[in-house]
Amino acid sequence: MLGSMAYRDDRQALAMQIAELERANQKLREKLEASQRKLAKTQSEQTAKRTAKARQGCIVCGGTLLPVAIFAGRDITAPLPLKMSTLRFVDPNGGFTHSAPLHSMACASCGFIHNFIDMQISSVVER
């Protein structure tokens, strides 16, 4: 015999190779799934950090942001709160919203005004 193992026929050798390849394939699939879960977790953590950090400092000078109210209209006794169309944003409950309140923050150092769309479920105005 030429080899160290004797097979009854070539089919048995192929079956053993296929079984070994299937085990290796299963291990690779498990590693891929674990990597995908790790990637999704890392991406969600990074998104949460960016979201939390978005309202902490001025993007122009790094100064402190303070909330300010920006209203429309001429009657100061009945100001109109600004709203922005959010038809391109999906509502967290499903469907689309028509508008969402616009919140503003001004930098205490340079005075730059940062506008944010409030997309929280509690404050989304639906029609």
Side-chain angles (χ1 to χ4, degrees), residues 84-99:
M84 180 176 280
S85 172
T86 58
L87 286 177
R88 66 176 184 253
F89 300 110
V90 178
D91 185 294
N93 295 326
F96 295 94
T97 62
H98 294 285
S99 64

Side-chain angles (χ1 to χ4, degrees), residues 40-57 116:
K41 181 182 175 185
T42 302
Q43 286 177 336
S44 65
E45 288 173 356
Q46 288 176 346
T47 301
K49 284 180 185 178
R50 278 195 305 268
T51 303
K53 191 177 178 182
R55 295 187 185 191
Q56 289 181 350
F116 300 96

Side-chain angles (χ1 to χ4, degrees), residues 2-18:
L2 296 175
S4 61
M5 295 182 69
Y7 297 107
R8 281 194 262 174
D9 57 7
D10 291 336
R11 288 184 183 178
Q12 186 180 10
L14 288 175
M16 291 179 71
Q17 286 179 345
I18 290 172

